[in-house]
Amino acid sequence: MKKRIGSYPRVRVEAGGAVVSRAGAVLLVDTVRKTGLDQAISTALSPWRKPRAVHDPGKILLDVALAVALGGDCLADVGIVRAEPGLFGPVASDPTVSRLIDTLATAGDKALAAVRSARAEIREYVWKLAGVSAPNADGQVIVDLDGVFVLAHSEKQDAAATWTKTFGHHPLMGFVDHGAGGSGEPVAALLRPGNAGSNTAADHIETAQLALAQLPKKYRRGRQTLIRCDSGGGTHEFVAWLTKRGRWLSYSVGMTITDAIHQAVLKVPASAWTVAVEPDGEVRDCAWVAELDGDVLKDWPTGMRLIVRKERPHPGAQLRFTDLDGNRLTCFATNTKGGQLADLELRHRRRARCEDRIRAARATGLRNLPLHDTAQNRIWLEIVSLALDLLAWMPMLALTGEARRWEPKKLRLRLFSAAAQLVTTARRRYLRFAAHWPWTHLITDATEWLRALPNLG
């Protein structure tokens, strides 16, 4: 009779060497190196490097961003990067990291502008490297704006009660949409108090300005850039700013169903309603769209179109007073002249992908703001943005198919968490991944793709 040892094999545990934890993060390191992000950030932060300093401020900031990309959510988590010098090189101590954050926070807008300028410079280069996989491959760039609540569990500066009856902050974020074949990358992060309004035009304008500054110069004005947002952006001031002479941006913004809009919908004849469509071109069941005109467009910018959708709500949904005959009404405005109504409505509905970007941001350092002062947390938002940039650029440059759409959690579990042996031979270092790991081929193929890219000249 054999002695039972349980459901899992018994192994002995001891310390050893020549093994790298989270070796799959070499994909992020190679992305930093190939895009020249390390050089750009180092140059941008050179004014804050003290004489005879051992650690470069740019390298410190990138090390924290790498730790956040790997799942860290506070400055001390840079320790997971420090533990692997064979992969990440020398990493600053926790006190050194904290001092740099304090220094940059004291510098305020000047430091933020330096980091953002470096990110914008490298973003343009990355899009050129990506070619047909870049978000501007079809000649248009779509920027989604949306707010996100970040809860606070202590008395942090500017933390306040939110309209959802929680307590914390209410940043306004901007993301470039990579389309159905990819994810998205952050281009704006405006830190706001928790009691900041959802439809504050000034905040939407500032966030849009930050987002446009991150785009290549040709996309900072003109109809080839589409700004998309929910009803929080449906204000006269924001729409007027988007269409101001010399800016001429395209927009697709949600609108609140006012009494005037509701009365206009009641006057739409049955023949004017067009069936809505799904992304695959099939008819969307129990959903119709129509265009409104007349007095509802009074006082709005010239060229604005108002499109309304009615749809049977899902079972259990609670109807509102503005709903019509048991149908849920939603409305958005756009200045796109051509196109079928169903196609324009589908384009606006795809704004829901921004929720995926927000979920990825929450999983990448935005679940909480770890520092006390607002100035420090503004730097933290830039670190989160750097981490999200890397998590968007690496798949865009090196992954294909379904893997390119993986969110951070899946990237960490399948790729970044893979361990490997670090072997040094002939003055070269190699990472040897386990052949039985199901996603080893993705790691090795992606590494080859990255290393085949031209170096930043």
Side-chain angles (χ1 to χ4, degrees), residues 48-378:
W48 291 276
R49 181 167 187 172
K50 296 181 179 180
R52 297 189 299 276
V54 175
H55 296 282
D56 175 42
K59 173 68 162 55
I60 296 174
L61 205 70
L62 274 177
D63 285 339
V64 179
L66 285 168
V68 172
L70 294 176
D73 61 4
C74 65
L75 295 180
D77 285 336
V78 75
I80 65 176
V81 174
R82 188 186 303 115
E84 298 295 350
L87 181 59
F88 300 104
V91 176
S93 65
D94 288 350
T96 301
V97 172
S98 295
R99 283 195 296 268
L100 175 64
I101 299 302
D102 289 340
T103 299
L104 297 180
T106 302
D109 290 340
K110 187 175 181 181
L112 291 171
V115 175
R116 290 166 180 167
S117 177
R119 289 176 55 216
E121 173 190 348
I122 299 304
R123 192 181 316 281
E124 182 172 7
Y125 178 65
V126 169
W127 288 10
K128 290 179 181 178
L129 287 179
V132 296
S133 297
N136 64 335
D138 62 354
Q140 185 182 53
V141 174
I142 299 178
V143 178
D144 291 315
L145 306 183
D146 206 353
V148 53
F149 288 112
V150 181
L151 302 184
H153 301 284
S154 61
E155 293 288 345
K156 297 178 181 178
Q157 189 177 11
D158 285 339
T162 71
W163 61 269
T164 61
K165 298 183 180 180
T166 56
F167 182 81
H169 297 82
H170 189 191
L172 197 56
M173 307 287 292
F175 299 90
V176 169
D177 185 21
H178 284 193
S183 56
E185 54 190 283
V187 287
L190 178 65
L191 184 58
R192 305 187 301 168
N195 56 4
S198 296
N199 57 348
T200 305
D203 291 346
H204 278 78
I205 291 173
E206 184 175 355
T207 305
Q209 289 174 326
L210 293 175
L212 293 172
Q214 283 294 306
L215 304 181
K217 190 172 182 179
K218 65 176 292 187
Y219 295 104
R220 295 177 185 176
R221 64 184 66 230
R223 290 298 176 88
Q224 72 275 17
T225 300
L226 174 71
I227 304 296
R228 196 165 56 181
C229 61
D230 60 13
S231 59
T235 61
H236 288 77
E237 294 87 348
F238 185 52
V239 174
W241 183 86
L242 292 171
T243 56
K244 185 177 180 180
R245 182 177 178 85
R247 193 170 290 118
W248 294 309
L249 296 167
S250 296
Y251 63 83
S252 182
V253 300
M255 300 291 288
T256 301
I257 303 291
T258 62
D259 183 64
I261 292 177
H262 186 240
Q263 293 301 318
V265 172
L266 294 176
K267 298 176 183 178
V268 176
S271 59
W273 291 97
T274 303
V275 293
V277 297
E278 297 285 8
D280 59 4
E282 295 294 324
V283 172
R284 185 177 177 89
D285 292 335
C286 301
W288 304 268
V289 294
E291 185 170 358
L292 304 179
D293 55 16
D295 291 341
V296 290
L297 296 177
K298 187 179 180 180
D299 298 328
W300 288 93
T302 303
M304 177 174 139
R305 303 173 66 186
L306 203 58
I307 299 173
V308 64
R309 181 184 74 168
K310 65 177 182 179
E311 183 175 22
R312 295 289 182 186
H314 61 81
Q318 187 174 1
L319 293 175
R320 296 166 294 192
F321 287 112
T322 54
D323 292 332
L324 175 69
D325 297 332
N327 292 305
R328 173 64 52 82
L329 293 180
T330 56
C331 185
F332 70 96
T334 182
N335 61 345
T336 301
K337 294 182 179 180
Q340 298 294 323
L341 292 183
D343 294 332
L344 295 176
E345 190 277 331
L346 175 61
R347 182 186 70 177
H348 184 75
R349 197 179 344 131
R350 283 174 170 158
R351 194 199 66 81
R353 284 199 285 252
C354 188
E355 300 297 332
D356 299 332
R357 309 290 84 81
I358 289 176
R359 182 172 60 250
R362 288 183 184 278
T364 311
L366 200 58
R367 191 166 300 279
N368 69 84
L369 297 176
L371 305 170
H372 178 271
D373 294 347
T374 295
Q376 295 171 325
N377 282 322
R378 291 176 71 193

